Amino acid sequence: MQDWAFGFIQCRERYDTQAELLENANGFKERNIPVDLFVQDWKWWGETGWNSMVFDKNKYPDPKAMVDSVHSMGYKAMISVWSRVEHGTVLGDAIEEKGYFIPGTEWIDYFNPEAADYYWRNFRDSLVVLGFDGWWFDATEPDNDYELLDRRVKANTIPGDVYRNVYPLVANRSMYNGFKEYYPADGMPVVLTRSAFAGSQRYGVITWSGDISGTWASFRRQIVGGLGQSSAGLPWWTYDAGGFSRPVDQYTNEDYQEVMLRFIETAVFLPFMRVHGMSSHTEPWNYSDETNRIYVENIKLRYQLQPYILEVARRVSEEGYTMMRPLVFDFASDPEALKQTTEYMFGPDYLVCPVTEPKVQKWSVYLPVNEAGWEDFRTGEHYDGGQYLDVPVTLEAIPVFKRL
């Protein structure tokens, strides 16, 4: 995984033009807000057709210049690409003629090596050559259950519905194999994928939890889901900080901004810190002054933790370590630790205690049994392990403790 992927990832649905993306990249630079990666979400193809591999020339007159401009500011660029290509596009018609779709769908039959190679070559010659640093493989699975029902894959030889969950594995493997041929070994791109399957960690992909809502209930489920995925051997995980679905009054809604900040404060201590939102301008300065301040302070905190994060990331790649750790991984002999569903270890040192309820002034945390005890991440105060604490909290931050 590239070091820069562990910084702040700025994403929204969506930058509607080349000029808009560059304007907001400049906005971060002018405000001195640290960021590493800007993401161009879908529909950049405009009227040329779904995932046509052709930019809307009215809105993106020079995609190569756009990428070069992002690079000149010291940032990286990622773009959303799908495994579905619309019929009626030049690329879609060619794929259909060759029989490389799963029959009756617009989804590439990655189970067929010839189809996978054909898709890769078109992707390479249309988009990879533009110099993007990362790829967002959105919908690396047929979206709906019925897409593969009663259909066959691998050149029409095996039942698609049986192998549906394997689709993201072969999709990401196909792209990874192409990347190895195209990129230098130390320049492999960062890949964000919506779905994964056992074994996907071999291809270095980041998964995220999909189009979640920006609510307290959803927030709680994300943490549990991320811990489950980490336990299953897929270490690179994140979520849409703030939620993908957001209220229409998000920029003035104080209740929503509270849960948004809890998403963001927790994302500081996730493998990747990425914000996203449907029909949203997710840049910090679009919210209230207080929210903007706290938002930016948490982005800066992420960068203060970079040496630690990169060392833990190295262990993930070289030792099979896990960055986001259920407490059972480190405190299996502590019965109270095993009861905690949203507390987790971020690497070996930090106990993270997300605040998952609104309007609280104190938050109950459990400090697992640890001989040397714990230190409050912000105050430095020492606590013995094996006890529950009611910790005062403000909107500024969530409770975090350093293992001694």
Side-chain angles (χ1 to χ4, degrees):
M1 188 61 62
Q2 299 287 350
D3 287 359
W4 51 262
F6 297 100
F8 179 64
I9 300 173
Q10 168 59 29
C11 186
R12 77 185 205 193
E13 196 268 340
R14 57 195 167 83
Y15 293 114
D16 191 51
T17 65
Q18 175 176 332
E20 187 176 51
L21 187 150
L22 295 177
E23 175 187 356
N24 282 280
N26 271 307
F28 274 83
K29 183 165 287 294
E30 290 168 356
R31 293 171 174 85
N32 198 31
I33 303 173
V35 60
D36 270 283
L37 176 62
F38 286 90
V39 183
Q40 172 62 58
D41 200 357
W42 66 341
K43 295 188 179 180
W44 44 267
W45 48 77
E47 298 301 318
T48 67
W50 198 285
N51 201 41
S52 65
M53 308 289 183
V54 178
F55 279 85
D56 180 336
K57 290 299 183 185
N58 291 320
K59 293 185 175 183
Y60 302 88
D62 193 339
K64 180 67 167 61
M66 178 180 72
V67 175
D68 290 346
S69 294
V70 171
H71 288 165
S72 71
M73 296 181 217
Y75 305 135
K76 305 294 184 182
M78 173 183 279
I79 192 169
S80 170
V81 186
W82 287 56
S83 294
R84 170 193 163 203
V85 182
E86 187 175 355
H87 292 140
T89 62
V90 174
L91 177 58
D93 287 347
I95 293 170
E96 178 72 18
E97 182 180 352
K98 292 179 179 295
Y100 291 161
F101 281 127
I102 295 172
T105 78
E106 295 180 331
W107 296 91
I108 306 300
D109 185 355
Y110 288 109
F111 296 91
N112 178 354
E114 292 181 1
D117 181 66
Y118 184 79
Y119 183 81
W120 156 255
R121 285 186 282 111
N122 279 277
F123 167 62
R124 176 196 65 197
D125 296 343
S126 299
L127 297 177
V128 176
V129 294
L130 298 176
F132 285 97
D133 309 280
W135 304 100
W136 178 1
F137 293 139
D138 204 347
T140 31
E141 84 292 338
D143 272 300
N144 303 297
D145 292 339
Y146 63 80
E147 298 276 8
L148 293 185
L149 186 63
D150 299 325
R151 296 189 171 96
R152 305 185 79 80
V153 298
K154 199 174 182 181
N156 208 29
T157 60
I158 58 177
D161 49 349
V162 173
Y163 290 90
R164 178 176 186 268
N165 284 345
V166 188
Y167 188 93
L169 175 70
V170 294
N172 284 299
R173 180 180 65 195
S174 298
M175 297 297 100
Y176 176 81
N177 289 336
F179 292 148
K180 284 199 301 183
E181 295 178 1
Y182 184 87
Y183 290 93
D186 62 351
M188 286 285 280
V190 169
V191 173
L192 181 68
T193 181
R194 191 168 74 184
S195 295
F197 190 74
S200 294
Q201 73 279 358
R202 292 193 296 265
Y203 310 121
V205 295
I206 305 167
T207 55
W208 90 103
S209 53
D211 295 347
I212 61 173
S213 61
T215 63
W216 292 102
S218 178
F219 177 41
R220 288 189 290 271
R221 289 195 296 271
Q222 303 321 302
I223 300 164
V224 176
L227 291 170
Q229 183 153 318
S230 297
S231 300
L234 303 177
W236 299 140
W237 180 87
T238 190
Y239 54 45
D240 289 352
F244 182 68
S245 300
R246 301 177 174 212
V248 293
D249 62 346
Q250 62 178 296
Y251 310 111
T252 57
N253 184 326
E254 292 183 1
D255 291 337
Y256 166 72
Q257 289 182 36
E258 180 185 5
V259 68
M260 182 186 81
L261 286 174
R262 296 309 190 196
F263 265 105
I264 291 167
E265 290 161 1
T266 303
V268 173
F269 301 93
L270 293 180
F272 302 91
M273 187 182 185
R274 171 181 167 273
V275 68
H276 192 39
M278 179 175 65
S279 303
S280 299
H281 293 179
T282 58
E283 297 79 16
W285 55 84
N286 292 311
Y287 298 90
S288 72
D289 289 345
E290 181 184 32
T291 296
N292 173 54
R293 177 182 60 80
I294 298 171
Y295 192 159
V296 172
E297 285 178 356
N298 276 273
I299 294 174
K300 291 180 177 179
L301 175 59
R302 176 74 179 192
Y303 283 89
Q304 292 170 18
L305 289 167
Q306 282 297 285
Y308 172 78
I309 292 172
L310 294 179
E311 172 56 22
V312 178
R314 181 198 62 77
R315 292 187 61 187
V316 172
S317 295
E318 296 180 4
E319 303 174 16
Y321 191 69
T322 303
M323 185 176 283
M324 186 181 182
R325 304 174 63 79
L327 296 189
V328 67
F329 279 21
D330 297 282
F331 307 100
S333 61
D334 183 345
E336 290 302 310
L338 306 189
K339 296 177 183 179
Q340 310 309 312
T341 58
T342 56
E343 289 186 17
Y344 63 92
M345 292 297 294
F346 183 56
D349 291 356
Y350 294 109
L351 175 69
V352 183
C353 309
V355 175
T356 59
E357 299 288 345
K359 310 297 183 189
V360 297
Q361 296 181 325
K362 290 187 177 181
W363 191 249
S364 177
V365 304
Y366 178 72
L367 302 181
V369 174
N370 181 46
E371 184 176 351
W374 300 86
E375 181 180 276
D376 187 292
F377 176 67
R378 291 175 176 82
T379 68
E381 188 171 354
H382 179 272
Y383 296 94
D384 293 333
Q387 64 168 320
Y388 284 90
L389 294 177
D390 285 332
V391 181
V393 293
T394 67
L395 194 57
E396 308 276 331
I398 60 172
V400 177
F401 295 85
K402 190 175 191 300
R403 187 180 187 179
L404 299 176

